[in-house]
Amino acid sequence: CERVNEEFLSGFDLGGFDVVIDAIDDISAKVALAKRAYPKLISSMGSAKKLDPLQIKLDSVWKSYGDRFARKFRESLKKEQFCGDFKVIFSPEPPACKELGSFSAVTGSFGLLLASETIKKILNKE
């Protein structure tokens, strides 16, 4: 069990992976991973407080919208002068509740879309 952070990533070889899937909830760890893995990266944004899996979208990290977590992530990438581009899964659905919580239909749909994009990325490399 390791905590993913810059120190961990500096010693972790990503070279053997075709795709890196990011579902980290910590912004600084996400930024560190993006800086190391972005050509291979597919990243999940915030699914908390969402109820409608039909609003889930896939687009460039720079084109994601309506997601506060994604906005914070983009702002942190800009502060780090990160210029790379990669796909993210996000939902512009407004928060459905005040308390932090997740609905398995939404989180599961995020995961299924991540898996689908991973397979597409692998197949397109061949």
Side-chain angles (χ1 to χ4, degrees):
C1 294
E2 296 281 344
R3 183 167 183 83
V4 177
N5 55 30
E6 265 189 77
E7 181 183 347
F8 170 81
L9 290 169
S10 68
F12 191 85
D13 181 16
L14 295 169
F17 298 95
D18 294 321
V19 180
V20 176
I21 300 171
D22 161 36
I24 302 169
D25 287 338
D26 178 85
I27 295 288
S28 61
K30 280 181 110 55
V31 170
L33 183 60
K35 288 167 49 180
R36 294 271 330 277
Y38 81 88
K40 303 175 178 188
L41 187 64
I42 302 171
S43 189
S44 176
M45 298 295 103
S47 62
K49 302 182 181 181
K50 313 289 178 153
L51 292 177
D52 186 358
L54 297 177
Q55 292 194 44
I56 298 170
K57 307 220 179 284
L58 170 77
D59 210 333
S60 159
V61 64
W62 305 112
K63 293 182 180 179
S64 60
Y65 61 93
D67 181 322
R68 291 178 63 192
F69 187 79
R71 180 177 45 81
K72 289 179 185 178
F73 182 48
R74 287 190 311 274
E75 289 170 357
S76 295
L77 289 170
K78 288 177 188 176
K79 285 179 187 172
E80 292 286 324
Q81 299 178 339
F82 178 84
C83 298
D85 196 12
F86 53 91
K87 299 281 185 171
V88 298
I89 312 300
F90 67 99
S91 173
E93 178 184 6
C97 59
K98 291 182 182 182
E99 297 298 320
L100 195 58
S102 299
F103 176 40
S104 60
V106 173
T107 56
S109 296
F110 267 58
L112 289 171
L113 190 49
L114 283 166
S116 175
E117 283 306 304
T118 299
I119 298 301
K120 289 178 191 175
K121 194 170 180 107
I122 291 168
L123 292 175
N124 286 332
K125 277 191 160 189
E126 296 178 344

